[in-house]
Amino acid sequence: MPDDPFQTVAERTLQRADVAALSELRIPQHVIACDLDEADLSGLDLSGWLFERCSLKRAKLRGTKLERVRWLGCRAAFADFMGADLSDGRVQSGDFNNAVLRRTTLVSASFAGCKLTGADLSEARALDCRFEEVLLVSAKLPSFSFRKTTLRKIDFSHSDLRKCDFRDAVFEDCSLMDAALTGSRFEGADLRGADLGGLRLVDATLFRGATISRQQAGQLLAELGLKVR
C-alpha cells in the first residue's frame, strides 16, 4: 500500500468528469465496487490509486498515468491502456481479457492470479515485469523479455511469443502448447515444467541450450517413430 492516506469512493457509477475531479485533489483514491464501464479516462493522472472490485469494461485509459496503481479483483475486459504508464503497479485476481496494453510501460509491474486471455502487450516496455498464475492464452507478446525470471503457472497456449527472450528462465507448471515461438531464445532455460504440446521436431532447434525432461525428449522423437526407454 502507498504511504499516502486514501480517500474512499465506493459503489458509484463514475464518468470522466467524476474521476478528473478526484484526480485534481492530489489525494490517492481507494475506489471500491464502482462502475467505470466505457468511461474515457485517457491522459488523467491516477498515480497511486487503488481500484478494488471495480468494473472497467471497454474503458479508455490511453496515455493515463497509472504508476503504483493496484487493481484488486477488477474486471477490465477489452479496456484500452495503450501508451499508459503502469510502472510499479499490481494486477491481482482480476479479469483483463482482450485488454489492449500496447506500448504500455510495465517496468516493475506484476500480474498475479489474473486473466489476460487475448490481451495485446505488443511493444510494451516491461523491464522486471512479473507474472504468476496468469492466463495468457492467445495473448500477443512478441519480443517480450522473460530473461532470468521464474514463471509459475503461466498458460501461454496459442500465444504469439515470437522473438521473446526466455534465456535462463525457469518454467514451473506452465504451458507453451501451440504457441508461436519463431525467433525466440531459450539458452539456459529450464523447460522441464512446461507443456510443449504441439511442438514439432523441426521446432526443437529453438530450445538449443535449454534443459528438457526425458519425457519431453520422447515426445519430440516420437515424431520420427523412435521410442525412448
Side-chain angles (χ1 to χ4, degrees), residues 23 86 94:
S23 70
L86 290 89

Side-chain angles (χ1 to χ4, degrees), residues 160-178:
D160 180 358
L161 302 175
R162 291 172 298 169
K163 297 184 179 180
C164 282
D165 188 352
F166 290 104
R167 286 177 292 173
D168 300 306
V170 177
F171 291 77
E172 297 180 0
D173 197 14
C174 295
S175 177
L176 290 168
M177 182 177 289
D178 294 315

Side-chain angles (χ1 to χ4, degrees), residues 141-149 151 156 161-171 176 180-191 203-211:
L141 299 107
S143 302
F144 211 91
S145 178
F146 297 96
R147 189 174 186 184
K148 295 184 178 180
T149 59
L151 299 167
F156 290 110
L161 302 175
R162 291 172 298 169
K163 297 184 179 180
C164 282
D165 188 352
F166 290 104
R167 286 177 292 173
D168 300 306
V170 177
F171 291 77
L176 290 168
L181 297 167
T182 304
S184 293
R185 300 185 64 179
F186 288 89
E187 297 99 305
D190 186 344
L191 288 158
D203 300 321
T205 54
L206 288 169
F207 300 135
R208 183 176 286 115
T211 300

Side-chain angles (χ1 to χ4, degrees), residues 9 121 159 191:
V9 180
L121 290 89
S159 289
L191 288 158

Side-chain angles (χ1 to χ4, degrees), residues 24-222:
E24 291 175 359
L25 299 175
R26 304 299 179 185
I27 300 172
Q29 302 293 313
H30 185 179
V31 186
I32 305 173
C34 286
D35 182 348
L36 296 104
D37 290 349
E38 301 186 13
D40 187 351
L41 311 179
S42 300
L44 296 179
D45 186 351
L46 310 181
S47 300
W49 285 32
L50 169 57
F51 291 88
E52 184 175 355
R53 305 192 314 278
C54 292
S55 182
L56 298 99
K57 296 174 184 176
R58 299 188 183 277
K60 298 177 179 64
L61 298 103
R62 288 195 167 204
T64 305
K65 295 182 179 179
L66 300 167
E67 296 173 83
R68 306 182 311 283
V69 170
R70 309 294 177 93
W71 310 87
L72 306 180
C74 294
R75 302 181 306 280
F78 295 95
D80 187 352
F81 293 87
M82 183 179 285
D85 187 348
L86 290 89
S87 299
D88 296 300
R90 180 174 178 81
V91 177
Q92 184 172 350
S93 303
D95 186 349
F96 282 59
N97 75 80
N98 292 292
V100 177
L101 292 154
R102 293 191 64 183
R103 301 176 186 168
T104 53
T105 300
L106 299 173
V107 176
S108 298
S110 66
F111 297 83
C114 58
K115 297 179 181 179
L116 286 167
T117 301
D120 186 353
L121 290 89
S122 305
E123 302 177 73
R125 294 180 56 235
L127 181 66
D128 196 31
C129 182
R130 298 175 298 281
F131 297 89
E132 184 169 347
E133 294 189 44
V134 177
L135 288 179
L136 280 162
V137 178
S138 300
K140 298 177 182 178
L141 299 107
S143 302
F144 211 91
S145 178
F146 297 96
R147 189 174 186 184
K148 295 184 178 180
T149 59
T150 297
L151 299 167
R152 295 188 179 91
K153 297 184 178 180
I154 310 299
D155 191 344
F156 290 110
S157 300
H158 304 282
S159 289
D160 180 358
L161 302 175
R162 291 172 298 169
K163 297 184 179 180
C164 282
D165 188 352
F166 290 104
R167 286 177 292 173
D168 300 306
V170 177
F171 291 77
E172 297 180 0
D173 197 14
C174 295
S175 177
L176 290 168
M177 182 177 289
D178 294 315
L181 297 167
T182 304
S184 293
R185 300 185 64 179
F186 288 89
E187 297 99 305
D190 186 344
L191 288 158
R192 290 174 293 181
D195 183 346
L196 304 180
L199 185 73
R200 299 169 301 168
L201 189 62
V202 69
D203 300 321
T205 54
L206 288 169
F207 300 135
R208 183 176 286 115
T211 300
I212 63 174
S213 68
R214 181 179 294 273
Q215 181 182 8
Q216 289 168 322
Q219 290 172 347
L220 292 174
L221 291 172

